[in-house]
Amino acid sequence: MPQGSIRKLYLIMDRGSGYSSQEFQEYFTGLFPYLDISADIYLIAEDMARDFPRVRETIKQIALFLKRYSFYRINIHPVHPLPFEDLLKGIYNDFFQIINPFNREGYLHQSVSRIMILPILVAEEKDDVGLLNRCLDFLRDRLMVPSIYIPGDASTGGIKGIVRSDKERIYLELTGGDKLERLMNTLGVHSVFDELMTWANAPVKGSLRGCPSIVLREKDGDIYNCFKTAPSKQSVSNLYSMNSLSDLSMTFETHENNRNDCLNCAVESLSLMKDTLRINDREKEAFSISFHLGMELVKQEDYDGALEHFDRVLTGHTDFEDMGTILLSKALCHLRRNENEKAMVTLEEAERHIPSSAMIYYYKGLCEFGLRDYIEAIDRLQDALKMGYDRLPLGDVYFYAGLSHINIEEYGDGLAMMNRAEEFFTEKSPLYYYMGLCYLGMRDLDAALDYLKKALVCKPQKENLSSIHFYLGLCYKEMGRHEDALLDLKRARDTEEGRKDIHNLMGYCYFKLKEYDDAIQSFMRTVEIDPNSAIDYANIGVNLREKGEIEKAIPMFKKALGLDPSIGFARKHLAEIAEEPS
Amino acid sequence: MNILLIEINPFIPPSTPISIAYIAAFLRWHGFHVNIMNIGENTPFSLHLLSSYICDFKPGLVGFSTYQRNILSVIGLANYIKSSDPKIKIAIGGPQATFMPSSALQPMGSIDYICREEGETALLNIALAIRDGIDNTVISGSSCKCEDGLFYDGPSVEAYSDLDRYPSPYLHNDLIDFSNLEEAILFTSRGCPYGCVFCYTPNAFKRKVRFHSIERVIEEIEWIYRKGIKKFWFADPSFSINIDRIDRLMEEVLRKNLKIHIWLETRADLVNNELVKKMKAAGVYLVAYGLESASKKVLEGLKKNISLNDMRRAIKLTQKNGIDVELFTQYGLPHENFGDAMKTLQFLKDNDVKIRGNSNSQQMQVYFGTDVFNSCQEYGVRPLERDMPAYMSIGRQYETEYLSSDDLKKIRLIWEKESLDGVKRKVS
């Protein structure tokens, strides 16, 4: 079953000399089955006096369609400059005659009319407020909810307060381009904003979808699936040249799947709408949207963008009802950006709004962990567990508590926490790795080997491979199994060649196996990686001395002592060499 | 045979289509292939999508959940489906259909059957008759138009007294898509023994109450909980009609450590402190009580058999236990005057009940099957429109002996002004 339907259709009534009006209507009505059962159609006309017959015919066609299919409801928005008062009255009296049977039907069915005319009048500089008011009242009396569009060059003086309900809107022109394009773009931004608002108010929020709208130019029949692509002439289809209308459905679906900047467009609409919301007394809506957009950006790991939205709410709407949640999410953004101090300050503020919140204590635990105060981290995470909350990510809480214990070498407690975390994790490799470290710390080398091997089997992330092999090598080394150790250490080295500790441990194992050349080569690599590693110069010296290359060993010991005079065994070797008969 | 069940409510977000899901589960159990189409506000849906669906699924029978508010959509969809394949039979059921006059089949055009009894059994009989090629005869539990052009009402069918005999709409089924739903709707019982004159339930269920076992309810809760849904909406008309049974249900929720949030509605005289305490512990965050009117005279006339003192006591003990309270109220009730209507508003304020959600009042809707509809003159209700289509009940288009249309509008505006949430009712 094909998905999707056209929820908003913008018809730019810019007919040139091409197809006749009748031809256009024939093709246009073919689009109707693809309209959503609750659709909005915008009829954008530059000059209503000239375009009236075509606008009227279009409304008539829509009414005929609705008469046939009583599960459809369509809002029609004629968008046009304000004509002479008498002309406007004549035009809308005519429209009223077309829709009046639907008003009667609505009354009998105790429902709103299935066809609504919601005009958007473009007020130009010459139009005085008195005229506007008379026209709006005339429309209201005929159950047509009017809105006003203010072009960029017109004054907004006296406009505020002209609309009487939240259904009546004032549209401030938002973008550039020619006259029709400006209209189109402004309506498009409003539409994106409305979709954003619907999404923000929905109890269950999926991902933010693209606006299900299309733009159709009467002049050439070009169809655009995004109002932003209309000015750049990137049409997705053409009304006149399609083989069949089912092609249209396929085309929309293909393009629907290719939308990738809808979230950016939504974000942009919010900032473009700033003045419009102010003049419509709808600023609070913007804060609510910023809140939900911020949350969506957190999900997409765009923490910079999320912080921008959260800060907008926190500075602009100090009595926002979800203040606690917003501060908590802001703290999470700071945490993810490793701004632990900022996160902590935000959490303290959040706590004033939602005291005794397990989530706050969980995040505080993460902050302390990030600040390497592991004892505090353990305390905060324990607090979170004591408070209890069904959405607390228990696995993560136990995991970070375990890591904190490991970091202060409380391996028994660390192991206990990792054991508790195990039931919550599907990817168990990191858990087994840290459990292996705990056993290693507790000197239970067999158990450590078991867990580190399990960590290897459970498909670890590539970046963790070298550490697992390294600690396996360390276990073998502690068991005196230097050849086995070298097998794992080589694997560790092959995965992450630039790690000094791997080469150092390899050098040690080669030394124990009396393979001094290989040992020297390993320690040489460590000092290449870290030229200030005094101990490794000393290690090179020891191996050279074992090989009998005393002359080469002496400068190595001296170099080591030069870097770190506290290396006792380098001094001892030098002293022994000095005492040896030459 | 394929059966398509459609729930369409274009003015509200999609919710769990629980009633048709029960029917679908029952019909599947009897070997039919059943799909549900749930269309709410913002559900993408077009003529083209409908046409493709019908063409692919090829239903032999299409059933609709019918309410006063969606009847135009139902008729429109039915007409289209019938025009696309005249062999497809169409049935309507639900609160608007049960007591709709059979003559309404005429203006509704494409509708073949009106279900009169419990949806499961009525629709099963229709489905069996179509499958067996005997659908032109009178069918038990429904009304139809026969070949002679006349309307016939079939004999009654007995509904199951043990609700567990109906297969669960949730368990072992993929009938309900939870991806866009915030909460699950459950029934633990059906029917109501009381006789409120404005309500359709007493006559539809013959004042009998039937129950699911606690085991079945808990099994459903656990299944839904595992799907990640934590909010539960119990839609029983009087949830605690059997206090011991509900005590056991709450006990089980606690024993199984299910961290859920529950909304329920019940009567003010069906709760006690012990039960409310347990409800709170089990996750009940809101209890809705049916007050209807705070005028003693009006309330008595509604035959609800409840006192304002019962109501005050229940509100107090619910709030005391930390559970929010909603009160269902109406205006435009029989024998109510303007002052009576204002008493109801004042009652909410006096009892610290916030005017939001379902505590936003609404005008009484006079539906088919209610005592007020059946004897509207006796209740002082005067319908405003005589040319209403036969499938429409009086609804809210009436005046009363004491309240004119202007009065009713005035009362509505007063309530709207007091509303804290711009009148966002969930239950109508």
Side-chain angles (χ1 to χ4, degrees):
Chain A
M1 177 176 165
Q3 298 295 314
S5 52
I6 303 166
R7 197 171 277 270
K8 288 187 178 166
L9 191 155
Y10 300 90
L11 172 58
I12 302 179
M13 308 200 76
D14 57 351
R15 186 164 66 91
S17 53
Y19 292 87
S20 73
S21 180
Q22 196 184 341
E23 274 174 303
F24 174 78
Q25 292 299 341
E26 276 170 25
Y27 282 96
F28 179 58
T29 51
L31 279 179
F32 291 175
Y34 299 88
L35 290 173
D36 193 82
I37 56 168
S38 300
D40 284 77
I41 297 179
Y42 294 80
L43 305 174
I44 305 170
E46 208 167 357
D47 179 354
M48 196 53 152
R50 183 193 67 199
D51 299 329
F52 167 67
R54 279 151 47 234
V55 174
R56 182 181 187 279
E57 186 54 30
T58 308
I59 294 175
K60 253 180 91 174
Q61 292 297 335
I62 296 167
L64 278 173
F65 179 74
L66 258 69
K67 200 173 168 200
R68 194 160 168 206
Y69 301 108
S70 71
F71 51 100
Y72 264 88
R73 308 178 167 271
I74 291 182
N75 294 328
I76 302 173
H77 309 261
V79 187
H80 57 88
L82 197 61
F84 295 119
E85 190 174 349
D86 287 345
L87 182 59
L88 178 124
K89 288 180 178 174
I91 287 168
Y92 280 93
N93 267 333
D94 201 303
F95 294 164
F96 183 73
Q97 295 308 314
I98 301 173
I99 65 161
N100 202 31
F102 291 91
N103 291 336
R104 172 73 183 154
E105 177 199 77
Y107 171 75
L108 289 177
H109 291 83
Q110 301 185 26
S111 178
V112 290
S113 174
R114 292 191 296 115
I115 187 167
M116 302 283 275
I117 301 262
L118 309 167
I120 302 174
L121 304 177
V122 181
E124 291 172 336
E125 198 69 61
K126 62 180 171 52
D127 303 322
D128 67 66
V129 175
L131 168 72
L132 267 179
N133 267 320
R134 285 198 302 280
C135 291
L136 297 186
D137 282 342
F138 171 83
L139 293 167
R140 286 177 191 125
D141 288 347
R142 276 146 195 81
L143 308 173
M144 299 173 181
V145 180
S147 292
I148 301 287
Y149 181 100
I150 313 286
D153 52 0
S155 151
T156 55
I159 291 295
K160 193 162 179 169
I162 202 167
V163 295
R164 295 218 186 129
S165 74
D166 58 357
K167 291 189 180 71
E168 297 182 7
R169 295 268 180 91
I170 297 175
Y171 293 79
L172 295 186
E173 192 160 79
L174 302 171
T175 57
D178 70 30
K179 198 173 177 182
L180 285 176
E181 278 171 7
R182 288 200 307 271
L183 268 171
M184 177 62 250
N185 282 333
T186 301
L187 296 173
V189 172
H190 274 263
S191 162
V192 170
F193 183 81
D194 287 344
E195 292 291 329
L196 199 56
M197 194 71 212
T198 307
W199 169 80
N201 288 329
V204 179
K205 289 175 192 48
S207 304
L208 190 56
R209 287 188 307 176
C211 44
S213 60
I214 65 162
V215 180
L216 168 62
R217 294 192 90 110
E218 189 190 16
K219 181 167 64 181
D220 47 20
D222 275 347
I223 296 172
Y224 308 84
N225 75 333
C226 167
F227 71 92
K228 283 194 158 180
T229 59
S232 57
K233 315 284 186 272
Q234 296 163 359
S235 64
V236 293
S237 192
N238 186 282
L239 189 67
Y240 300 114
S241 61
M242 275 180 305
N243 291 328
S244 72
L245 279 165
S246 61
D247 290 354
L248 183 66
S249 169
M250 298 289 282
T251 310
F252 288 147
E253 273 170 57
T254 311
H255 284 270
E256 206 56 41
N257 296 333
N258 291 336
R259 287 179 191 270
N260 49 18
D261 64 346
C262 290
L263 184 59
N264 289 339
C265 186
V267 172
E268 194 188 7
S269 80
L270 187 56
S271 59
L272 283 170
M273 289 285 287
K274 204 173 154 196
D275 289 336
T276 306
L277 292 173
R278 184 180 41 75
I279 204 159
N280 283 288
D281 287 327
R282 293 171 60 203
E283 281 161 304
K284 283 197 173 177
E285 291 177 26
F287 292 125
S288 164
I289 289 178
S290 267
F291 166 64
H292 291 293
L293 260 183
M295 302 299 261
E296 179 69 15
L297 290 168
V298 168
K299 268 194 237 162
Q300 303 201 7
E301 299 182 5
D302 178 355
Y303 302 113
D304 291 354
L307 277 174
E308 212 174 287
H309 283 283
F310 293 149
D311 283 337
R312 187 172 298 163
V313 183
L314 293 169
T315 51
H317 189 0
T318 47
D319 56 348
F320 189 75
E321 58 180 15
D322 269 330
M323 201 60 107
T325 313
I326 210 164
L327 286 164
L328 201 58
S329 303
K330 187 183 170 186
L332 177 65
C333 292
H334 285 308
L335 263 171
R336 294 287 181 254
R337 285 160 41 122
N338 288 322
E339 298 167 348
N340 293 301
E341 282 94 352
K342 282 186 183 172
M344 195 57 106
V345 171
T346 312
L347 287 168
E348 296 293 346
E349 210 183 329
E351 201 172 4
R352 286 202 291 275
H353 295 275
I354 32 175
S356 311
S357 157
M359 284 305 284
I360 289 181
Y361 280 82
Y362 164 56
Y363 286 163
K364 280 187 171 182
L366 295 186
C367 283
E368 299 291 4
F369 184 86
L371 293 165
R372 294 166 190 259
D373 190 339
Y374 300 114
I375 294 173
E376 278 294 318
I378 292 165
D379 286 348
R380 295 298 78 78
L381 294 167
Q382 291 292 357
D383 288 342
L385 286 170
K386 267 182 230 154
M387 284 171 187
Y389 172 51
D390 58 355
R391 289 189 188 163
L392 192 66
L394 281 177
D396 286 349
V397 180
Y398 289 126
F399 182 75
Y400 280 100
L403 269 189
S404 302
H405 281 296
I406 293 169
N407 274 301
I408 52 174
E409 298 182 4
E410 293 176 349
Y411 296 112
D413 292 334
L415 185 63
M417 287 292 133
M418 291 297 172
N419 271 320
R420 298 197 70 173
E422 192 182 347
E423 69 170 292
F424 299 96
F425 279 73
T426 44
E427 298 211 353
K428 302 209 187 255
S429 181
L431 282 171
Y432 292 148
Y433 166 71
Y434 285 112
M435 286 157 98
L437 296 200
C438 289
Y439 282 115
L440 186 60
M442 292 153 68
R443 305 292 302 161
D444 184 344
L445 299 175
D446 288 329
L449 268 183
D450 279 351
Y451 275 95
L452 289 167
K453 281 179 184 168
K454 275 166 91 173
L456 261 189
V457 173
C458 293
K459 295 180 187 161
Q461 303 266 331
K462 203 177 166 199
E463 60 265 30
N464 298 331
L465 265 177
S466 63
S467 289
I468 300 172
H469 282 299
F470 173 80
Y471 281 103
L472 275 166
L474 189 59
C475 278
Y476 286 125
K477 174 237 163 192
E478 292 294 311
M479 295 163 111
R481 294 165 59 181
H482 297 105
E483 282 171 349
D484 291 332
L486 277 167
L487 284 176
D488 271 298
L489 290 168
K490 281 178 189 166
R491 284 186 191 124
R493 180 199 60 194
D494 293 346
T495 317
E496 200 175 351
E497 204 282 328
R499 266 180 68 171
K500 183 182 128 186
D501 54 353
I502 297 172
H503 295 285
N504 173 283
L505 196 55
M506 285 176 74
Y508 177 86
C509 293
Y510 283 126
F511 172 74
K512 284 289 181 189
L513 292 167
K514 300 189 188 304
E515 294 174 18
Y516 301 120
D517 286 333
D518 287 333
I520 290 166
Q521 212 176 338
S522 293
F523 290 125
M524 288 296 278
R525 179 68 186 123
T526 60
V527 296
E528 232 176 85
I529 295 166
D530 178 7
N532 294 319
S533 181
I535 192 92
D536 289 309
Y537 285 108
N539 286 333
I540 296 169
V542 171
N543 280 279
L544 287 167
R545 191 179 171 209
E546 289 293 335
K547 279 183 73 183
E549 296 180 15
I550 307 296
E551 292 308 310
K552 286 183 184 170
I554 292 169
M556 289 297 152
F557 289 128
K558 285 185 177 169
K559 174 89 178 171
L561 286 167
L563 288 167
D564 181 359
S566 69
I567 299 184
F569 80 95
R571 200 178 300 282
K572 187 172 156 255
H573 274 282
L574 278 177
E576 284 172 8
I577 291 168
E579 281 170 19
E580 278 172 7
S582 56
Chain B
M1 183 173 77
N2 291 345
I3 300 174
L4 175 62
L5 300 180
I6 301 179
E7 175 92 33
I8 179 164
N9 283 305
F11 301 114
I12 52 172
S15 57
T16 320
I18 184 69
S19 300
I20 58 170
Y22 260 104
I23 298 170
F26 188 69
L27 292 174
R28 278 188 182 182
W29 190 52
H30 281 86
F32 293 98
H33 182 206
V34 190
N35 274 3
I36 288 177
M37 194 182 262
N38 187 18
I39 307 157
E41 189 182 36
N42 292 326
T43 307
F45 192 66
S46 67
L47 182 59
H48 173 65
L49 294 179
L50 173 66
S51 159
S52 309
Y53 193 91
I54 296 294
C55 192
D56 290 347
F57 186 60
K58 295 183 177 55
L61 170 64
V62 176
F64 288 94
S65 252
T66 318
Y67 315 90
Q68 180 114 319
R69 63 175 179 267
N70 76 351
I71 190 92
L72 256 181
S73 301
V74 168
I75 293 171
L77 290 172
N79 285 342
Y80 175 74
I81 292 167
K82 197 70 149 183
S83 70
S84 67
D85 181 356
K87 289 200 291 293
I88 299 174
K89 297 289 181 184
I90 296 173
I92 60 168
Q96 186 73 3
T98 309
F99 296 104
M100 186 186 276
S102 301
S103 59
L105 282 164
Q106 187 67 44
M108 286 194 296
S110 303
I111 312 284
D112 298 295
Y113 306 100
I114 303 175
C115 295
R116 303 300 194 182
E117 310 275 345
E118 195 140 86
E120 288 89 341
T121 43
L123 211 61
L124 175 65
N125 286 344
I126 294 170
L128 290 171
I130 296 170
R131 191 193 64 188
D132 299 340
I134 49 168
D135 50 303
N136 267 323
T137 57
V138 175
I139 300 169
S140 305
S142 63
S143 302
C144 63
K145 189 165 62 177
C146 286
E147 275 175 341
D148 58 9
L150 298 175
F151 308 115
Y152 292 93
D153 296 331
S156 281
V157 280
E158 198 61 35
Y160 292 166
S161 55
D162 172 10
L163 289 186
D164 282 1
R165 287 185 63 193
Y166 293 123
S168 167
Y170 292 107
L171 306 169
H172 326 298
N173 263 311
D174 56 352
L175 283 169
I176 294 170
D177 171 16
F178 278 107
S179 58
N180 283 318
L181 300 177
E182 189 194 12
E183 65 192 341
I185 300 178
L186 287 185
F187 281 107
T188 83
S189 65
R190 292 185 192 180
C192 177
Y194 300 92
C196 304
V197 298
F198 56 84
C199 184
Y200 133 106
T201 305
N203 290 334
F205 292 88
K206 301 177 180 72
R207 291 213 192 185
K208 283 181 194 158
V209 186
R210 292 164 297 144
F211 300 99
H212 277 299
S213 66
I214 295 303
E215 291 70 26
R216 159 83 172 255
V217 178
I218 284 289
E219 200 182 351
E220 288 188 341
I221 294 175
E222 281 190 298
W223 188 92
I224 297 163
Y225 185 69
R226 280 201 298 273
K227 291 259 170 188
I229 304 284
K230 296 190 175 157
K231 278 179 93 173
F232 288 79
W233 179 286
F234 285 101
D236 307 37
S238 296
F239 183 71
S240 52
I241 189 80
N242 179 335
I243 290 185
D244 289 344
R245 179 176 167 274
I246 295 307
D247 186 85
R248 260 197 317 125
L249 176 61
M250 296 294 127
E251 194 66 58
E252 277 299 288
V253 170
L254 284 168
R255 196 177 67 76
K256 296 206 173 251
N257 199 24
L258 299 167
K259 305 278 185 219
I260 58 176
H261 311 284
I262 299 171
W263 181 101
L264 60 92
E265 74 176 274
T266 192
R267 282 174 60 96
D269 55 356
L270 294 178
V271 289
N272 59 42
N273 196 36
E274 209 175 302
L275 179 68
V276 174
K277 237 184 215 169
K278 200 166 275 180
M279 283 177 171
K280 171 70 183 173
V284 175
Y285 68 94
L286 203 151
V287 176
Y289 296 109
L291 164 67
E292 320 311 342
S293 170
S295 155
K296 190 168 175 285
K297 169 197 75 181
V298 175
L299 192 55
E300 280 171 3
L302 298 177
K303 298 184 186 157
K304 196 174 171 79
N305 287 332
I306 206 154
S307 74
L308 290 172
N309 276 339
D310 285 335
M311 197 58 67
R312 288 190 192 95
R313 181 194 61 86
I315 295 168
K316 210 168 178 182
L317 79 88
T318 310
Q319 290 170 336
K320 186 188 81 184
N321 280 291
I323 299 177
D324 210 355
V325 170
E326 282 186 338
L327 291 183
F328 290 119
T329 62
Q330 305 182 65
Y331 54 85
L333 290 162
H335 317 304
E336 182 186 57
N337 59 32
F338 195 90
D340 294 324
M342 291 302 102
K343 275 186 194 167
T344 308
L345 177 61
Q346 194 55 44
F347 186 91
L348 268 76
K349 291 181 181 175
D350 292 345
N351 287 279
D352 294 326
V353 175
K354 298 217 164 42
I355 301 170
R356 63 181 179 203
N358 295 307
S359 297
N360 287 296
S361 194
Q362 64 174 352
Q363 188 184 333
M364 174 178 69
Q365 299 261 353
V366 183
Y367 289 131
F368 293 130
T370 63
D371 286 357
V372 178
F373 181 87
N374 294 337
S375 319
C376 58
Q377 258 187 328
E378 187 189 313
Y379 288 101
V381 169
R382 288 195 299 268
L384 292 173
E385 182 60 51
R386 293 285 169 195
D387 292 333
M388 205 76 88
Y391 50 80
M392 292 295 290
S393 63
I394 298 169
R396 58 174 186 274
Q397 278 180 355
Y398 65 88
E399 294 181 329
T400 70
E401 57 192 326
Y402 299 114
L403 293 168
S404 66
S405 292
D406 282 346
D407 292 331
L408 290 166
K409 192 177 168 192
K410 224 180 279 173
I411 297 167
R412 174 170 62 81
L413 292 174
I414 292 170
W415 273 98
E416 279 178 10
K417 210 173 151 200
E418 296 284 346
S419 174
L420 297 172
D421 63 357
V423 192
K424 286 185 182 151
R425 283 182 66 91
K426 201 159 177 184
V427 179
S428 64

